[in-house]
Amino acid sequence: IHGTGDRFVPADCSREIYAACGGDGNGRVQLELFPGAAHGISFLQDEDRYKQVITEFSRKVTGWDSAGN
């Protein structure tokens, strides 16, 4: 998760890490950009999307479902 308005750590840094880690859609590497969000502000900018991204990624990599399995 990275805000495109981040001036402290530019979003291109996350794009490079994503590509270097095999960001090929395998599900273990994911990049979510939040348009215009400054450093550490993605959650505040779009709390619902942020939570959805975290939840879906966690479920994907752990196999956890809403029943706690």
Side-chain angles (χ1 to χ4, degrees), residues 3-33:
T4 61
D6 190 337
R7 293 184 190 177
F8 185 67
V9 179
D12 281 344
C13 291
S14 285
R15 288 183 183 104
E16 290 175 17
I17 292 168
Y18 175 75
C21 290
D24 58 5
N26 65 11
R28 292 243 174 223
V29 179
Q30 182 175 328
L31 175 61
E32 293 290 334
L33 298 173

Side-chain angles (χ1 to χ4, degrees), residues 35-51:
H39 188 77
I41 303 299
S42 298
F43 178 81
L44 298 175
Q45 179 178 326
D46 191 343
E47 181 179 339
D48 290 337
R49 179 175 170 224
Y50 190 98
K51 288 178 179 179

